[in-house]
Amino acid sequence: MYTYGSQLPNENVIKTNFATFVFMALFQTQFGVQPDCVFCHKRRGREMKKFIHIVCGVCLILLGLPGMAAADSKFAFQSSTSLSTWLWDTSKIVSDQESIIHNLVNNNVKVLLLQIDTTLEQKHYKEFISKATANGIRVHALDGAPGWVANNGTTLQQIFLKWLNNYQESASSNEKFSGIHLDVEPYEHEQYEDNTNEFLEEYQSMMMTFRNQADPLQLEFGIDIPFWFYGVQYNTKYGSGNMAEWLCKNVEFITIMAYRDAATGTNGIMGISAAEMKLFEKYKVKGTIAVETGRLAEEYQFVTFYEEDKAYMNQQLELVYQNYKDNPAFHGIAIHHYDSWMTMK
């Protein structure tokens, strides 16, 4: 059996809640404001960020939580909720297979969203997924692009679905994908602003097609959406309303791209996730909150953890977990993406 270790133990929730209280009190003492005021839009300076990092670290050390710097830091969110990540460079399952499995196990990843490259021989997927399965990791077939809802977009969709159907038919039970995951962002297409409802209608039709394909294959069907999708209005053959609510009625697994580098504040991870988490709870959606670790332009550094380290990111994700752990709509945390995450210090 190809295994790399066991699950991490649960953390002491009372300790973590107390650490959060200490952090809030010290922050207000130091700056005269609540953390909510700091991240309303762009950050007000490195001084506050450094203070947050130091205080979070001190709280965790004093309360006896495990060391922060190691890649396998034992935060409660790592062992108590579903943790997932995206792997876009599919060639790595050929060249770097053992390292990927090792890193996923060490970081307690339970779901890998693996982009489909139809030019790659199926034997490589089968070998990789069988090893992932042996280590308790479920692999979902990932793909999508804005062009999937543009002219001839259905052709791209069908290529993916045909490949996936053929693969599932030939794979043994431990080699099969466990789900389908779409990352299709229609608003990124250059013609979206001029033809918004046309793109949204194609997007909705695609959701119905994939949901109907996933069900008979007994695959989970999940998607990524931006945190602001609840404010996007549609008027299509599917009716009218806001896109996030329509999706909640038709898709069971949804990941919010809540890309910010701080948990608290109106413009922090929890603040920008709040509206869609309420919709998830209303419609019984299994919701995942995602963060970014990739390198972005200087003006977008507040969107990603790229310039921070794993210790700081884990502290913020722990706050997110503690806030949502009792919410029935909360399904897990996702970190985008594997390559940039694994290179963090």
Side-chain angles (χ1 to χ4, degrees):
M1 188 70 73
Y2 188 94
T3 58
Y4 282 105
S6 58
Q7 271 197 336
L8 299 172
N10 289 330
E11 298 298 332
N12 189 317
V13 172
I14 296 176
K15 287 183 178 181
T16 308
N17 286 339
F18 182 68
T20 304
F21 170 78
V22 172
F23 159 68
M24 298 284 283
L26 288 175
F27 191 100
Q28 188 169 19
T29 300
Q30 176 75 8
F31 294 107
V33 295
Q34 290 288 342
D36 286 26
C37 301
V38 179
F39 300 99
C40 292
H41 292 288
K42 294 187 178 180
R43 293 168 297 178
R44 295 184 180 177
R46 296 280 179 182
E47 182 183 356
M48 290 184 177
K49 175 60 69 64
K50 290 178 181 177
F51 179 82
I52 293 172
H53 197 169
I54 292 169
V55 172
C56 282
V58 170
C59 287
L60 292 175
I61 292 172
L62 290 176
L63 292 170
L65 292 178
M68 300 176 297
D72 59 351
S73 299
K74 298 177 178 64
F75 290 86
F77 78 87
Q78 294 174 313
S79 58
S80 301
T81 191
S82 177
L83 188 60
S84 57
T85 191
W86 293 254
L87 178 57
W88 293 104
D89 185 358
T90 315
S91 67
K92 289 191 172 181
I93 69 170
V94 180
S95 63
D96 204 20
Q97 191 174 108
E98 290 199 11
S99 176
I100 293 171
I101 298 292
H102 177 78
N103 288 336
L104 295 177
V105 170
N106 276 358
N107 286 277
N108 287 280
V109 173
K110 296 305 178 188
V111 179
L112 178 67
L113 311 174
L114 176 63
Q115 185 174 33
I116 298 305
D117 178 356
T118 58
T119 67
L120 197 66
E121 291 184 69
Q122 289 192 1
K123 66 178 183 180
H124 298 301
Y125 290 97
K126 291 177 180 178
E127 182 181 358
F128 178 78
I129 293 175
S130 67
K131 291 179 179 179
T133 301
N135 283 275
I137 301 165
R138 293 176 291 126
V139 182
H140 291 194
L142 166 69
D143 214 342
W148 280 35
V149 290
N151 291 335
N152 300 318
T154 54
T155 300
L156 299 174
Q157 298 171 30
Q158 291 304 316
I159 290 172
F160 173 88
L161 288 170
K162 181 179 180 181
W163 184 94
L164 183 60
N165 273 276
N166 290 338
Y167 177 88
Q168 293 293 91
E169 286 180 5
S170 66
S172 60
S173 59
N174 67 327
E175 299 168 340
K176 291 181 184 290
F177 287 96
S178 301
I180 298 172
H181 194 92
L182 295 185
D183 186 2
V184 179
E185 302 177 39
Y187 42 85
E188 294 288 347
H189 196 280
E190 59 184 8
Q191 298 176 3
Y192 174 79
E193 294 297 333
D194 296 327
N195 304 282
T196 300
N197 277 311
E198 291 179 23
F199 275 88
L200 293 178
E201 185 170 305
E202 289 299 320
Y203 183 75
Q204 290 170 307
S205 295
M206 179 187 66
M207 294 299 158
M208 303 304 290
T209 296
F210 274 79
R211 188 186 70 179
N212 293 337
Q213 288 282 324
D215 287 347
L217 291 173
Q218 297 182 315
L219 294 173
E220 290 184 7
F221 173 46
I223 62 172
D224 300 328
I225 67 171
F227 66 86
W228 43 262
F229 233 20
Y230 70 91
V232 173
Q233 300 297 308
Y234 70 91
N235 186 5
T236 67
K237 68 180 183 181
Y238 295 97
S240 61
N242 81 68
M243 277 305 305
E245 186 162 22
W246 186 90
L247 290 167
C248 288
K249 295 176 182 178
N250 292 282
V251 180
E252 185 178 3
F253 297 88
I254 301 180
T255 297
I256 306 172
M257 294 183 284
Y259 293 170
R260 291 294 185 269
D261 66 354
T264 59
T266 55
N267 199 43
I269 298 165
M270 295 184 291
I272 65 176
S273 301
E276 288 175 349
M277 284 298 292
K278 288 180 180 177
L279 286 174
F280 292 175
E281 191 170 0
K282 178 180 179 180
Y283 292 103
K284 294 180 171 52
V285 171
K286 295 178 176 65
T288 296
I289 296 177
V291 296
E292 176 67 86
T293 62
R295 184 175 186 176
L296 301 176
E298 178 71 23
E299 61 266 30
Y300 296 113
Q301 285 190 4
F302 69 100
V303 173
T304 177
F305 285 101
Y306 176 81
E307 75 277 15
E308 282 88 27
D309 57 26
K310 284 184 180 179
Y312 173 78
M313 181 179 73
N314 286 340
Q315 292 157 15
Q316 300 307 301
L317 294 180
E318 184 69 14
L319 294 175
V320 173
Y321 169 72
Q322 293 298 336
N323 183 67
Y324 281 115
K325 65 178 180 172
D326 296 323
N327 187 318
F330 180 63
H331 188 60
I333 289 172
I335 299 175
H336 187 266
H337 53 90
Y338 172 83
D339 288 323
S340 55
W341 179 20
M342 291 303 128
T343 58
M344 291 178 73
K345 300 299 183 182

